[in-house]
Amino acid sequence: MDFTARQDRLAAIGGVDVIALVPSANLRYFTGVSLPRSERLTLAFFAPDRGWHYLLPSLEAAQLSEEQQHSAYLWKDEDGPVRALRALFADLNLTNVTLGVDGMSMWVSEWLLLKGLEPTLRVEPIEHDLAKIRAIKQPSELAAIRRAVTASEQALTQLLREVQPGMSERAIAASLERALQDAGSERPAFNTLVQTGPNSALPHGAAGGRNLEKGEFLLIDFGAVVSDYPADITRTVCFGTPDREMQRVYDTVSTANRAAIAAIAPGVTMGDIDRAARDVIDEAGFGDYFVHRTGHGMGLEVHEPIPQIAAGVSDRLEPGMVFTVEPGIYLPGFGGVRLEEDVVVTDTGAEVLTRYPHQLSLGD
């Protein structure tokens, strides 16, 4: 990973003198450092002319390289973090400066402590700037996502050989997570969603105790993680013969999925991609049952804020952006269908990273 280039972009963020990051995907992205997020105060300060300085519990010092440890301010449980933090503030001369923070991940208690130690600090939220930097994926990031997609699709193939009517949602999820491990996944990208029959009408329903019945929807939303990067895939299938309405709902979602992908190109607004999918579903009469955005950004985190493939978003796509395309129709009491791809914007259009086919009926 080219952390120097990433830090050059961090230094170019305007309106701030110093940046403070908590343990998070942002810290991993800009430094390669993975520190636990806990009640023990842990912060990394970046000053463009003085590099990184770390405040962390002494028990976590081994997480830093030897070079990074030279800029570490360590504290022990019996002492608390304030003395070490005062020393860091003095060395960086954090008086009357503007501090950039990720307002989506820094806790209020952490900010109040910083402000209490140095009342002249001014805070500037920079989470949007950080997200814009991370939105354009480097080749190494794309390679990791591709491997995560491959592992995910291998696991799904294995799972669907094993699933039988009568299995519970929890049992199916457990089988899938074993298959992910067999395929080389470091961990599930998120809590695996397995929903059967009417439960599939819940966009974010968890795997529960309901048993799969023949001839009903089985919705599976999951992903592998490889080299810290996730995949995010949803497929909806039916063991047995779906009725005509199930097939109509499925075909509508599949057509909406393909329409959104066909609309992707550099310079196209994110809202236009959402509109391409939504128009198909509206025309089929299911518009009231497509209740979420068409897609979200994806990278070190499975949900990233840029790009946001949602109605009315006027920001434009750029080459290197990775996001999901996941239209859905959710009919209460009947069931739901979602089909989700992972895509990357190219210089001329889109490359679909996921390749698992759209096929509703898996036979008897």
Side-chain angles (χ1 to χ4, degrees):
M1 299 294 183
D2 188 353
F3 293 113
T4 299
R6 293 180 181 185
Q7 291 169 20
D8 287 344
R9 297 192 68 187
L10 195 62
I13 294 176
V16 297
D17 303 300
V18 179
I19 290 169
L21 298 178
V22 299
S24 61
N26 280 323
L27 184 60
R28 295 202 310 277
Y29 181 85
F30 288 107
T31 68
V33 174
S34 294
L35 292 169
R37 189 76 165 114
S38 74
E39 74 281 3
R40 293 183 172 94
L41 185 66
T42 305
L43 294 165
F45 292 82
F46 176 71
D49 57 343
R50 284 165 286 181
W52 289 96
H53 292 68
Y54 299 88
L55 175 88
L56 71 163
S58 57
L59 61 89
E60 304 294 355
Q63 304 283 355
L64 302 180
S65 68
E66 288 187 16
E67 180 181 353
Q68 291 164 335
Q69 288 179 16
H70 290 303
S71 299
Y73 297 73
L74 305 178
W75 61 274
K76 296 181 179 179
D77 286 348
E78 58 265 32
D79 300 324
V82 171
R83 182 183 301 175
L85 188 57
R86 287 189 189 280
L88 187 154
F89 271 40
D91 290 348
L92 287 183
N93 192 24
L94 297 185
T95 302
N96 199 30
V97 301
T98 299
L99 187 68
V101 302
D102 176 3
M104 297 297 290
S105 59
M106 179 174 277
W107 295 336
V108 173
S109 59
E110 293 167 331
W111 168 242
L112 290 175
L113 176 58
L114 298 180
K115 187 70 173 174
L117 286 180
E118 182 48 68
T120 66
L121 276 180
R122 298 178 299 274
V123 67
E124 183 68 26
I126 60 166
E127 54 266 20
H128 187 72
D129 301 273
L130 300 174
K132 285 178 66 177
I133 294 171
R134 288 174 50 192
I136 307 301
K137 272 37 184 192
Q138 297 173 344
S140 58
E141 295 179 278
L142 290 174
I145 293 170
R146 292 180 201 280
R147 293 196 297 272
V149 168
T150 297
S152 301
E153 295 185 333
Q154 288 175 354
L156 183 59
T157 297
Q158 178 178 327
L159 174 78
L160 293 179
R161 294 193 191 110
E162 301 172 359
V163 171
Q164 296 179 356
M167 291 179 66
S168 72
E169 294 170 346
R170 290 194 188 97
I172 294 170
S175 293
L176 179 53
E177 291 181 2
R178 288 193 296 271
L180 285 170
Q181 188 173 24
D182 291 344
S185 176
E186 296 159 12
R187 60 185 182 277
F190 49 90
N191 289 334
T192 299
L193 305 183
V194 174
Q195 298 152 252
T196 61
N199 287 351
S200 60
L202 302 172
H204 283 160
R210 188 181 186 281
N211 293 336
L212 174 66
E213 297 180 11
K214 188 174 180 180
E216 66 180 12
F217 288 133
L218 168 61
L219 187 153
I220 304 170
D221 188 344
F222 73 106
V225 174
V226 175
S227 299
D228 267 347
Y229 281 80
D232 187 1
I233 302 172
T234 307
R235 287 296 183 266
T236 307
V237 298
C238 172
F239 286 86
T241 303
D243 65 32
R244 291 180 63 185
E245 187 66 0
M246 290 173 66
Q247 190 68 57
R248 187 169 83 91
V249 171
Y250 186 92
D251 291 344
T252 300
V253 173
S254 181
T255 301
N257 178 291
R258 294 194 301 272
I261 291 168
I264 295 170
V268 176
T269 71
M270 299 170 194
D272 283 346
I273 308 305
D274 181 89
R275 187 74 265 161
R278 210 164 292 277
D279 282 348
V280 172
I281 293 175
D282 286 346
E283 185 176 346
F286 295 115
D288 290 342
Y289 304 101
F290 180 13
V291 294
H292 56 71
R293 63 192 173 188
T294 294
H296 56 80
M298 194 177 75
L300 271 178
E301 295 173 290
V302 74
H303 280 221
E304 294 191 347
I306 300 176
Q308 181 84 240
I309 312 301
V313 178
S314 60
D315 295 338
R316 297 183 183 276
L317 296 175
E318 300 178 42
M321 287 182 169
V322 174
F323 57 93
T324 65
V325 173
E326 49 180 307
I329 295 172
Y330 309 92
L331 302 171
F334 179 79
V337 172
R338 182 166 65 254
L339 296 169
E340 179 179 22
E341 316 298 350
D342 301 336
V343 304
V344 57
V345 182
T346 67
D347 290 337
T348 58
E351 178 188 352
V352 183
L353 304 176
T354 41
R355 298 178 181 272
Y356 204 91
H358 291 191
Q359 179 182 352
L360 177 57
S361 177
L362 299 183
D364 295 336

